[in-house]
Amino acid sequence: MNTQQIKWMIFIVPALVIGLWEFIRHEWLLPYISMELGNWMTPLIVLLFSVFINYKLFQILERNQHELEQEKMKQAIINERQEISRELHDSISQSLFLLSVKIDQLEKNNEPQTYEQIQLTIDRLQENVRHSIKQLRTPNITNWKSAIQSTIEQLNSEKPEVEFYLDWQASESSFSSEEKVQFFWIIREAIMNILKHAKNVTRVTINASPKEIKVIDNGTEPSSFDKHGSHYGIEMMQDRAQSVGWKLTINRENEQTILRLARKEEAN
C-alpha cells in the first residue's frame, strides 16, 4: 500500500464506519437500542474503529516514510561517492600532467631544483589520493550522530591526548538526508584539520542544534584555517556547505578556533 492509498484510507475509513453502523442500527437494532442510546454509541464506535484502523495505517505510513528516507540517504551517499571519484580523477590527472612537464624540463635542463619540484608533486599526489580514499570509505550515516561518534573515536586514537565533547541538541529530523551527508564530511574534515594542524590542542567540542553546528578547539590558531588562504580542506567544506544552502565561517574567539555552520538566513 503506497502513501497516497494510505492517506485516502485515513479519510474514508471514518465515513465508512459511520455509514455501516447507521445502516445496521436502523435495519436490525432499533427494537433493542433507543435513538438516544444509539446517538451516544455512534461517536464511540467511530472513535474505536478509527483508532484501531488508523493506528495500523499510520504505522504503515511511518514505515514507508522511514524507508523513503533511507533511500534518499543511500542516494545522497552514492552521489557523494561519484563526486569524490571525479575529484580524485581530476587531481590525479592534473598531477600526472604536471609531473610529465617537470620531467621534460629535467631532461632538457638537468636542473637540481626540478627534482625537488617533482618530489613535491608526487607527495601532493599521494596526499590527495589518501585523502580521497579515506572519504570513499563511507560509514553508515543512517544514524548520523552515531556515525560522528564512531568517527571521533577513530580519529581520537591518533591523538589520545585530545578530549572530545559532543553537545548534541539536534534530532534526526532536524536536517535533510543531503544535509546529514554533507555535514558529516564537514565535521570529519574539521576534526582531521584540527588533529593535523592545530598546536597545543587539548579539547575539541562539537555543538549541534537545528540552526547551527560548531566545531571548537582550544589550540593555537593553525595556518590551515586562514580564511584568505587556498587550503583545499577549507574550500571543500565551504563548497559542501553552500551546496545545501548553509554558510561556513571560521573565526578566532577567546583563544579558540570556531568553525560555524549556519543556515544562510541565520548567518546573515
Side-chain angles (χ1 to χ4, degrees), residues 136-181:
L136 284 171
R137 295 172 182 169
T138 307
N140 181 12
I141 315 181
T142 303
N143 186 327
W144 73 308
K145 180 183 178 181
S146 298
I148 291 173
Q149 287 176 326
S150 299
T151 300
I152 288 174
E153 293 173 1
Q154 177 185 353
L155 296 177
N156 186 223
S157 64
E158 300 178 10
K159 281 197 174 183
E161 69 275 12
V162 179
E163 294 183 285
F164 285 87
Y165 297 92
L166 196 59
D167 180 14
W168 206 270
Q169 301 176 11
S171 64
E172 287 293 321
S173 59
S174 298
F175 309 107
S176 67
S177 300
E178 180 64 21
E179 287 174 337
K180 289 179 183 178
V181 173

Short mmCIF file of all heavy atoms in Angstrom, two decimals, residues 136-181:
data_model
loop_
_atom_site.label_atom_id
_atom_site.label_comp_id
_atom_site.label_asym_id
_atom_site.label_seq_id
_atom_site.Cartn_x
_atom_site.Cartn_y
_atom_site.Cartn_z
N LEU A 136 36.10 7.88 0.52
CA LEU A 136 35.30 6.87 -0.15
C LEU A 136 34.85 5.78 0.81
O LEU A 136 33.89 5.07 0.54
CB LEU A 136 36.11 6.25 -1.31
CG LEU A 136 36.24 7.12 -2.56
CD1 LEU A 136 37.23 6.50 -3.52
CD2 LEU A 136 34.90 7.31 -3.24
N ARG A 137 35.55 5.64 1.93
CA ARG A 137 35.14 4.66 2.93
C ARG A 137 33.99 5.23 3.74
O ARG A 137 34.13 5.65 4.89
CB ARG A 137 36.31 4.32 3.84
CG ARG A 137 37.46 3.62 3.12
CD ARG A 137 38.67 3.47 4.02
NE ARG A 137 39.78 2.86 3.32
CZ ARG A 137 41.02 2.80 3.80
NH1 ARG A 137 41.29 3.34 4.99
NH2 ARG A 137 41.98 2.22 3.11
N THR A 138 32.83 5.31 3.13
CA THR A 138 31.68 5.96 3.74
C THR A 138 31.06 5.08 4.81
O THR A 138 30.67 3.96 4.53
CB THR A 138 30.61 6.26 2.67
OG1 THR A 138 31.21 6.99 1.61
CG2 THR A 138 29.48 7.08 3.27
N PRO A 139 30.95 5.56 6.04
CA PRO A 139 30.31 4.77 7.09
C PRO A 139 28.80 4.82 6.96
O PRO A 139 28.27 5.52 6.10
CB PRO A 139 30.77 5.47 8.37
CG PRO A 139 30.94 6.90 7.94
CD PRO A 139 31.45 6.85 6.51
N ASN A 140 28.12 4.09 7.82
CA ASN A 140 26.66 4.10 7.83
C ASN A 140 26.18 5.40 8.47
O ASN A 140 26.32 5.60 9.67
CB ASN A 140 26.14 2.90 8.60
CG ASN A 140 24.63 2.84 8.63
OD1 ASN A 140 23.96 3.56 7.90
ND2 ASN A 140 24.09 1.97 9.46
N ILE A 141 25.61 6.29 7.67
CA ILE A 141 25.16 7.59 8.18
C ILE A 141 23.66 7.58 8.43
O ILE A 141 23.02 8.61 8.52
CB ILE A 141 25.56 8.73 7.21
CG1 ILE A 141 26.99 8.56 6.75
CG2 ILE A 141 25.45 10.09 7.89
CD1 ILE A 141 27.47 9.63 5.81
N THR A 142 23.06 6.38 8.51
CA THR A 142 21.63 6.30 8.80
C THR A 142 21.33 7.01 10.11
O THR A 142 20.40 7.81 10.21
CB THR A 142 21.20 4.82 8.89
OG1 THR A 142 21.54 4.18 7.66
CG2 THR A 142 19.71 4.73 9.11
N ASN A 143 22.10 6.69 11.13
CA ASN A 143 22.06 7.44 12.38
C ASN A 143 23.33 8.26 12.44
O ASN A 143 24.37 7.77 12.85
CB ASN A 143 21.95 6.48 13.58
CG ASN A 143 21.76 7.21 14.90
OD1 ASN A 143 22.26 8.32 15.09
ND2 ASN A 143 21.03 6.59 15.80
N TRP A 144 23.25 9.49 12.01
CA TRP A 144 24.48 10.24 11.77
C TRP A 144 25.14 10.69 13.06
O TRP A 144 26.34 10.91 13.11
CB TRP A 144 24.24 11.40 10.81
CG TRP A 144 23.50 12.56 11.36
CD1 TRP A 144 22.30 12.55 12.01
CD2 TRP A 144 23.91 13.93 11.30
NE1 TRP A 144 21.94 13.82 12.34
CE2 TRP A 144 22.90 14.70 11.91
CE3 TRP A 144 25.01 14.58 10.77
CZ2 TRP A 144 22.97 16.07 12.02
CZ3 TRP A 144 25.09 15.95 10.87
CH2 TRP A 144 24.07 16.68 11.49
N LYS A 145 24.41 10.79 14.17
CA LYS A 145 25.05 11.09 15.44
C LYS A 145 25.98 9.94 15.83
O LYS A 145 27.12 10.17 16.25
CB LYS A 145 24.00 11.32 16.53
CG LYS A 145 24.61 11.63 17.89
CD LYS A 145 23.55 11.79 18.96
CE LYS A 145 24.18 12.04 20.32
NZ LYS A 145 23.15 12.17 21.39
N SER A 146 25.50 8.71 15.67
CA SER A 146 26.35 7.55 15.97
C SER A 146 27.53 7.49 15.02
O SER A 146 28.64 7.12 15.43
CB SER A 146 25.53 6.26 15.87
OG SER A 146 24.47 6.26 16.80
N ALA A 147 27.31 7.86 13.74
CA ALA A 147 28.40 7.86 12.77
C ALA A 147 29.48 8.87 13.17
O ALA A 147 30.68 8.59 13.06
CB ALA A 147 27.87 8.17 11.38
N ILE A 148 29.06 10.04 13.64
CA ILE A 148 30.02 11.05 14.07
C ILE A 148 30.76 10.60 15.32
O ILE A 148 31.97 10.79 15.46
CB ILE A 148 29.30 12.40 14.31
CG1 ILE A 148 28.82 12.97 12.97
CG2 ILE A 148 30.21 13.40 15.01
CD1 ILE A 148 27.96 14.20 13.09
N GLN A 149 30.05 9.96 16.25
CA GLN A 149 30.70 9.45 17.45
C GLN A 149 31.75 8.39 17.10
O GLN A 149 32.85 8.39 17.67
CB GLN A 149 29.65 8.86 18.40
CG GLN A 149 28.79 9.90 19.10
CD GLN A 149 27.69 9.29 19.94
OE1 GLN A 149 27.14 8.26 19.60
NE2 GLN A 149 27.37 9.94 21.05
N SER A 150 31.42 7.52 16.17
CA SER A 150 32.38 6.49 15.74
C SER A 150 33.60 7.12 15.09
O SER A 150 34.73 6.69 15.31
CB SER A 150 31.71 5.52 14.78
OG SER A 150 30.61 4.85 15.38
N THR A 151 33.36 8.14 14.27
CA THR A 151 34.46 8.83 13.61
C THR A 151 35.36 9.53 14.63
O THR A 151 36.59 9.50 14.51
CB THR A 151 33.92 9.87 12.61
OG1 THR A 151 33.12 9.19 11.64
CG2 THR A 151 35.06 10.61 11.91
N ILE A 152 34.75 10.14 15.64
CA ILE A 152 35.52 10.81 16.68
C ILE A 152 36.41 9.81 17.41
O ILE A 152 37.59 10.06 17.68
CB ILE A 152 34.58 11.52 17.67
CG1 ILE A 152 33.96 12.75 17.01
CG2 ILE A 152 35.32 11.92 18.94
CD1 ILE A 152 32.91 13.43 17.86
N GLU A 153 35.85 8.65 17.74
CA GLU A 153 36.63 7.62 18.43
C GLU A 153 37.80 7.16 17.56
O GLU A 153 38.91 6.94 18.07
CB GLU A 153 35.73 6.44 18.78
CG GLU A 153 34.67 6.78 19.82
CD GLU A 153 33.68 5.64 20.02
OE1 GLU A 153 33.85 4.60 19.36
OE2 GLU A 153 32.75 5.79 20.84
N GLN A 154 37.54 7.02 16.26
CA GLN A 154 38.61 6.58 15.35
C GLN A 154 39.72 7.62 15.25
O GLN A 154 40.91 7.29 15.34
CB GLN A 154 38.02 6.30 13.97
CG GLN A 154 39.05 5.89 12.93
CD GLN A 154 38.44 5.75 11.56
OE1 GLN A 154 37.23 5.83 11.39
NE2 GLN A 154 39.27 5.53 10.56
N LEU A 155 39.35 8.89 15.07
CA LEU A 155 40.34 9.95 14.93
C LEU A 155 41.04 10.23 16.26
O LEU A 155 42.21 10.60 16.29
CB LEU A 155 39.68 11.23 14.40
CG LEU A 155 39.09 11.14 12.99
CD1 LEU A 155 38.39 12.44 12.62
CD2 LEU A 155 40.18 10.82 11.97
N ASN A 156 40.32 10.06 17.36
CA ASN A 156 40.90 10.31 18.67
C ASN A 156 42.02 9.32 18.99
O ASN A 156 42.93 9.63 19.77
CB ASN A 156 39.82 10.23 19.74
CG ASN A 156 40.34 10.61 21.11
OD1 ASN A 156 40.03 9.97 22.09
ND2 ASN A 156 41.12 11.68 21.18
N SER A 157 41.96 8.14 18.37
CA SER A 157 43.03 7.15 18.59
C SER A 157 44.36 7.66 18.06
O SER A 157 45.42 7.23 18.51
CB SER A 157 42.66 5.83 17.92
OG SER A 157 42.57 5.97 16.51
N GLU A 158 44.32 8.59 17.08
CA GLU A 158 45.55 9.17 16.55
C GLU A 158 46.18 10.15 17.54
O GLU A 158 47.39 10.30 17.58
CB GLU A 158 45.26 9.87 15.23
CG GLU A 158 44.69 8.96 14.15
CD GLU A 158 44.36 9.71 12.87
OE1 GLU A 158 44.76 10.90 12.77
OE2 GLU A 158 43.72 9.13 11.98
N LYS A 159 45.31 10.85 18.32
CA LYS A 159 45.80 11.79 19.32
C LYS A 159 45.00 11.58 20.60
O LYS A 159 44.06 12.32 20.89
CB LYS A 159 45.66 13.23 18.83
CG LYS A 159 46.73 13.66 17.86
CD LYS A 159 46.78 15.17 17.72
CE LYS A 159 47.94 15.62 16.86
NZ LYS A 159 48.02 17.10 16.78
N PRO A 160 45.36 10.56 21.37
CA PRO A 160 44.58 10.25 22.59
C PRO A 160 44.63 11.35 23.64
O PRO A 160 43.81 11.36 24.55
CB PRO A 160 45.23 8.96 23.10
CG PRO A 160 46.60 8.96 22.50
CD PRO A 160 46.47 9.64 21.17
N GLU A 161 45.58 12.26 23.51
CA GLU A 161 45.68 13.33 24.50
C GLU A 161 44.61 14.40 24.30
O GLU A 161 44.43 15.28 25.16
CB GLU A 161 47.07 13.98 24.44
CG GLU A 161 47.37 14.78 23.18
CD GLU A 161 47.89 13.92 22.03
OE1 GLU A 161 47.79 12.68 22.14
OE2 GLU A 161 48.37 14.50 21.05
N VAL A 162 43.88 14.36 23.18
CA VAL A 162 42.83 15.33 22.90
C VAL A 162 41.49 14.81 23.40
O VAL A 162 41.09 13.69 23.10
CB VAL A 162 42.74 15.64 21.39
CG1 VAL A 162 41.62 16.65 21.12
CG2 VAL A 162 44.08 16.16 20.88
N GLU A 163 40.78 15.63 24.19
CA GLU A 163 39.47 15.26 24.71
C GLU A 163 38.38 15.80 23.78
O GLU A 163 38.46 16.94 23.33
CB GLU A 163 39.28 15.82 26.12
CG GLU A 163 40.19 15.22 27.16
CD GLU A 163 39.89 15.76 28.55
OE1 GLU A 163 40.26 16.94 28.80
OE2 GLU A 163 39.29 15.05 29.35
N PHE A 164 37.38 14.99 23.53
CA PHE A 164 36.26 15.38 22.68
C PHE A 164 34.98 15.49 23.50
O PHE A 164 34.69 14.63 24.34
CB PHE A 164 36.05 14.36 21.55
CG PHE A 164 37.08 14.45 20.46
CD1 PHE A 164 38.27 13.75 20.55
CD2 PHE A 164 36.87 15.24 19.35
CE1 PHE A 164 39.22 13.82 19.56
CE2 PHE A 164 37.80 15.32 18.34
CZ PHE A 164 38.99 14.61 18.44
N TYR A 165 34.23 16.56 23.24
CA TYR A 165 32.93 16.76 23.89
C TYR A 165 31.87 16.92 22.81
O TYR A 165 32.03 17.71 21.87
CB TYR A 165 32.96 18.00 24.78
CG TYR A 165 33.93 17.91 25.93
CD1 TYR A 165 35.24 18.36 25.79
CD2 TYR A 165 33.55 17.34 27.14
CE1 TYR A 165 36.14 18.26 26.83
CE2 TYR A 165 34.45 17.23 28.19
CZ TYR A 165 35.75 17.71 28.03
OH TYR A 165 36.65 17.59 29.05
N LEU A 166 30.80 16.16 22.94
CA LEU A 166 29.72 16.19 21.96
C LEU A 166 28.46 16.74 22.62
O LEU A 166 27.85 16.07 23.47
CB LEU A 166 29.47 14.78 21.42
CG LEU A 166 28.64 14.66 20.12
CD1 LEU A 166 29.32 15.42 18.99
CD2 LEU A 166 28.45 13.20 19.76
N ASP A 167 28.09 17.97 22.28
CA ASP A 167 26.89 18.61 22.80
C ASP A 167 25.83 18.57 21.70
O ASP A 167 25.79 19.43 20.82
CB ASP A 167 27.19 20.05 23.21
CG ASP A 167 25.97 20.76 23.78
OD1 ASP A 167 24.97 20.07 24.08
OD2 ASP A 167 26.00 22.00 23.91
N TRP A 168 24.96 17.56 21.74
CA TRP A 168 24.06 17.28 20.62
C TRP A 168 22.62 17.63 21.01
O TRP A 168 21.99 16.94 21.81
CB TRP A 168 24.14 15.80 20.23
CG TRP A 168 23.77 15.58 18.80
CD1 TRP A 168 22.53 15.31 18.32
CD2 TRP A 168 24.64 15.62 17.67
NE1 TRP A 168 22.56 15.18 16.95
CE2 TRP A 168 23.85 15.36 16.53
CE3 TRP A 168 26.00 15.85 17.51
CZ2 TRP A 168 24.39 15.33 15.25
CZ3 TRP A 168 26.53 15.82 16.25
CH2 TRP A 168 25.74 15.56 15.13
N GLN A 169 22.08 18.69 20.42
CA GLN A 169 20.71 19.12 20.69
C GLN A 169 19.83 19.06 19.45
O GLN A 169 18.73 19.60 19.44
CB GLN A 169 20.73 20.55 21.25
CG GLN A 169 21.53 20.69 22.53
CD GLN A 169 21.60 22.13 23.01
OE1 GLN A 169 20.91 23.00 22.51
NE2 GLN A 169 22.46 22.37 23.99
N ALA A 170 20.33 18.39 18.41
CA ALA A 170 19.58 18.25 17.16
C ALA A 170 19.04 16.83 17.06
O ALA A 170 19.70 15.87 17.46
CB ALA A 170 20.47 18.56 15.95
N SER A 171 17.84 16.69 16.51
CA SER A 171 17.25 15.37 16.31
C SER A 171 17.55 14.89 14.89
O SER A 171 18.03 15.66 14.04
CB SER A 171 15.73 15.44 16.53
OG SER A 171 15.13 16.28 15.56
N GLU A 172 17.24 13.63 14.63
CA GLU A 172 17.48 13.07 13.30
C GLU A 172 16.65 13.79 12.23
O GLU A 172 17.02 13.83 11.06
CB GLU A 172 17.15 11.57 13.30
CG GLU A 172 18.17 10.72 14.03
CD GLU A 172 19.51 10.68 13.33
OE1 GLU A 172 19.55 10.62 12.09
OE2 GLU A 172 20.54 10.72 14.03
N SER A 173 15.50 14.35 12.65
CA SER A 173 14.61 15.02 11.70
C SER A 173 14.95 16.50 11.51
O SER A 173 14.28 17.19 10.75
CB SER A 173 13.16 14.89 12.17
OG SER A 173 12.98 15.47 13.46
N SER A 174 16.00 16.98 12.21
CA SER A 174 16.34 18.41 12.11
C SER A 174 16.91 18.77 10.74
O SER A 174 16.83 19.92 10.31
CB SER A 174 17.35 18.79 13.19
OG SER A 174 16.82 18.59 14.47
N PHE A 175 17.52 17.78 10.05
CA PHE A 175 18.19 18.05 8.79
C PHE A 175 17.75 17.04 7.74
O PHE A 175 17.32 15.93 8.06
CB PHE A 175 19.71 17.99 8.96
CG PHE A 175 20.23 18.82 10.10
CD1 PHE A 175 20.68 18.22 11.27
CD2 PHE A 175 20.26 20.19 10.01
CE1 PHE A 175 21.14 18.98 12.33
CE2 PHE A 175 20.73 20.96 11.07
CZ PHE A 175 21.17 20.36 12.23
N SER A 176 17.87 17.43 6.48
CA SER A 176 17.54 16.53 5.38
C SER A 176 18.65 15.50 5.19
O SER A 176 19.74 15.61 5.78
CB SER A 176 17.36 17.34 4.09
OG SER A 176 18.60 17.90 3.68
N SER A 177 18.37 14.50 4.36
CA SER A 177 19.37 13.47 4.10
C SER A 177 20.64 14.05 3.51
O SER A 177 21.75 13.70 3.90
CB SER A 177 18.79 12.40 3.16
OG SER A 177 17.66 11.80 3.72
N GLU A 178 20.49 14.96 2.54
CA GLU A 178 21.65 15.58 1.90
C GLU A 178 22.45 16.40 2.90
O GLU A 178 23.68 16.38 2.90
CB GLU A 178 21.19 16.46 0.73
CG GLU A 178 22.32 17.14 -0.02
CD GLU A 178 23.26 16.17 -0.73
OE1 GLU A 178 22.84 15.02 -0.97
OE2 GLU A 178 24.40 16.56 -1.02
N GLU A 179 21.75 17.13 3.78
CA GLU A 179 22.46 17.92 4.79
C GLU A 179 23.25 17.02 5.74
O GLU A 179 24.38 17.34 6.11
CB GLU A 179 21.45 18.76 5.58
CG GLU A 179 20.89 19.93 4.79
CD GLU A 179 19.79 20.65 5.53
OE1 GLU A 179 19.16 20.04 6.43
OE2 GLU A 179 19.53 21.83 5.22
N LYS A 180 22.65 15.90 6.14
CA LYS A 180 23.36 14.98 7.04
C LYS A 180 24.66 14.48 6.42
O LYS A 180 25.70 14.44 7.09
CB LYS A 180 22.46 13.79 7.37
CG LYS A 180 21.28 14.12 8.27
CD LYS A 180 20.44 12.88 8.52
CE LYS A 180 19.23 13.20 9.36
NZ LYS A 180 18.38 12.00 9.57
N VAL A 181 24.59 14.11 5.14
CA VAL A 181 25.79 13.59 4.46
C VAL A 181 26.87 14.68 4.39
O VAL A 181 28.03 14.46 4.73
CB VAL A 181 25.45 13.07 3.06
CG1 VAL A 181 26.71 12.71 2.29
CG2 VAL A 181 24.52 11.86 3.15
#
